Amino acid sequence: MASDSPQAAPRTLGEKVVTGGWISLAIVIFVSFCFSSEPFDFSTSLALLSLITFCAAFACWPSLFLNPINYRSLCDDVPRGSQIAMSAFVGLTVLRAFVELVA
């Protein structure tokens, strides 16, 4: 997902490397969770999903790590995929907090 605008320039090599790094991190988190010897725990699963959505948010927005941050228009520059993933991350984190409080 390069950008929401049809006139978007193709991704640079740096953006592709950053995107690949975040996707690799999400895969490593998932694989390590699958091969862990700990029993299934709902709270741990929510934490896993939170981390994976966090990785997805930054995989959709690699220019954050390559360009200087313009804080005044930071929210205007966030791609839609990153907005959705960050919303899911916050929602899963809040849900996990409630699960921890109840347990």
Side-chain angles (χ1 to χ4, degrees), residues 38-98:
E38 296 189 17
F40 178 78
D41 182 14
F42 187 66
S43 178
T44 306
S45 300
L46 287 175
L48 169 78
L49 286 174
S50 293
L51 285 173
I52 289 174
T53 57
F54 187 72
C55 292
F58 288 111
C60 292
W61 193 24
S63 62
L64 175 67
F65 296 99
L66 301 173
N67 299 332
I69 298 174
N70 182 3
Y71 291 103
R72 291 185 183 201
S73 66
L74 183 65
C75 293
D76 297 335
D77 297 336
V78 179
R80 182 160 172 76
S82 288
Q83 291 174 357
I84 293 169
M86 287 305 281
S87 299
F89 170 72
V90 170
L92 288 168
T93 304
V94 169
L95 181 62
R96 182 173 183 244
F98 283 124

Side-chain angles (χ1 to χ4, degrees), residues 11-46:
R11 287 192 171 190
T12 63
L13 178 62
E15 288 178 327
K16 291 177 183 177
V17 168
V18 171
T19 300
W22 281 107
I23 291 171
S24 304
L25 184 61
I27 291 170
V28 166
I29 291 169
F30 179 73
V31 168
S32 67
F33 179 76
C34 289
F35 289 116
S36 70
S37 61
E38 296 189 17
F40 178 78
D41 182 14
F42 187 66
S43 178
T44 306
S45 300
L46 287 175

